[in-house]
Amino acid sequence: MNEIDPRLMRIGIEVDGRIKYYDEQFSLKATGTKYANPNQNDCDVTIANLKKETRDAIITETSPFNGNRTRKRLIVEAGRKSYGLSQIFVGDIIKSSPSQPPDITLSIKALTGDYLKGNVLARSKGGKTSLKNISQGVASDLGLSLDFQAQDKQLSNYTFTGGALKQVDKLSDSGLVNAYVDDGTLVVKDMNVPLTGRTRILNLATGMIGIPEITEHGIKVKFLLDNKTTLGGALVITSELNPAANGTYAIYKLGFEICSRDTPWYYIAEGKRLN
């Protein structure tokens, strides 16, 4: 832990529109992966030191056998004292369970937009409609804000029938765009082009851990958690030990592993090399 700038972390569990937060007084751990494509982002959380009645209440409320079919959400926030908390993940709880004794912890698994898969709907637009207009409609159906950074185009006779979340796949099929859900935002951007104003400068002095690994698609690199890195944003790498990795990349996959009381506190990013 950086004692000069202490960590902040909290886990929020939302049931029936009410959120209960658990902060650093508990032993918290969160791991997950976010994708700049229609794949659902995933997150696994463990919380230790909960009272039995609190743990039992969460397990009961989030059980698939619970008659309360309202949305149950998981919110992960982390940061440093100097800049405060930032949202790392938001998703729908699909499973929760206790560990084996004696040290009983609560494990929770969540996926982005999972609750929306059960909302079946039909949408159609006759004639030609802009991609931006269609994207705004999809964002509205999903209850998300829209970040549209793609070259707009006209689509003919748009139709869709199925689970609401599958509309993101439909947007991705419109050609040369990345469409994905990043927590509370639907992002539609040009393929292999980073989001504007979302650049992370990464080197040994700014938090890079180890040596960046060159992959078939570009780069894989681990670095300390921060409040600037964004899925779909740019990553500018300078490595003294592997100068072949130096360059600018668009982040298409962003993993995270954070703990309130243990060592892990980092992102693992995979990016595509930009010319």
Side-chain angles (χ1 to χ4, degrees), residues 19-275:
I19 303 175
K20 172 68 175 177
Y21 285 104
Y22 303 90
D23 57 20
E24 298 89 354
Q25 67 176 300
F26 300 94
S27 178
L28 309 174
K29 180 179 180 181
T31 61
T33 308
K34 305 167 82 170
Y35 307 90
N37 60 46
N39 289 344
Q40 290 174 269
N41 302 338
D42 60 81
C43 181
D44 290 282
V45 160
T46 59
I47 308 176
N49 308 330
L50 287 172
K51 294 180 180 178
K52 183 181 185 302
E53 55 267 30
T54 302
R55 187 174 63 246
D56 290 347
I58 294 172
I59 293 170
T60 301
E61 286 291 345
T62 58
S63 167
F65 305 114
N66 191 319
N68 178 3
R69 296 300 181 185
T70 58
R71 196 170 194 176
K72 289 95 174 180
R73 297 201 306 165
L74 177 74
I75 302 164
V76 179
E77 298 176 340
R80 297 279 186 182
K81 189 174 182 179
S82 62
Y83 58 81
L85 291 162
S86 299
Q87 198 171 84
I88 305 299
F89 175 88
V90 176
D92 297 319
I93 297 172
I94 63 170
K95 178 183 177 182
S96 62
S97 59
S99 68
Q100 296 292 334
D103 297 323
I104 301 177
T105 61
L106 177 66
S107 297
I108 302 172
K109 185 173 183 63
L111 295 172
T112 297
D114 202 70
Y115 179 81
L116 299 168
K117 293 196 297 186
N119 295 348
V120 178
L121 46 76
R123 295 287 182 264
S124 65
K125 296 183 182 294
K128 291 187 176 181
T129 308
S130 71
L131 176 61
K132 185 173 183 179
N133 181 270
I134 294 171
S135 299
Q136 187 61 67
V138 173
S140 178
D141 286 338
L142 300 179
L144 305 171
S145 61
L146 175 66
D147 187 356
F148 188 88
Q149 295 193 26
Q151 183 175 350
D152 207 359
K153 65 184 77 175
Q154 297 294 311
L155 302 180
S156 299
N157 301 317
Y158 175 85
T159 61
F160 172 84
T161 302
L165 191 62
K166 278 293 182 181
Q167 290 182 99
V168 181
D169 296 67
K170 183 82 170 181
L171 289 176
S172 294
D173 292 338
S174 60
L176 299 178
V177 298
N178 295 126
Y180 58 94
V181 176
D182 186 8
D183 299 330
T185 304
L186 172 64
V187 180
V188 182
K189 69 177 189 66
D190 290 319
M191 188 175 291
N192 300 327
V193 176
L195 295 169
T196 58
R198 317 284 178 85
T199 300
R200 172 73 157 93
I201 307 299
L202 186 60
N203 52 52
L204 185 61
T206 61
M208 186 161 62
I209 301 172
I211 303 172
E213 173 189 347
I214 295 176
T215 68
E216 59 179 325
H217 299 295
I219 201 76
K220 181 176 182 181
V221 61
K222 180 188 292 187
F223 52 98
L224 293 176
L225 193 85
D226 64 274
N227 64 340
K228 296 182 177 66
T229 303
T230 305
L231 181 68
L235 194 61
V236 181
I237 292 178
T238 303
S239 171
E240 296 182 4
L241 295 177
N242 188 6
N246 294 352
T248 303
Y249 301 82
I251 301 172
Y252 64 83
K253 184 177 179 181
L254 186 62
F256 57 89
E257 184 172 349
I258 53 178
C259 301
S260 62
R261 299 183 182 179
D262 208 343
T263 302
W265 191 257
Y266 47 74
Y267 280 130
I268 304 170
E270 296 184 42
K272 184 173 179 61
R273 181 76 173 238
L274 304 179
N275 293 326

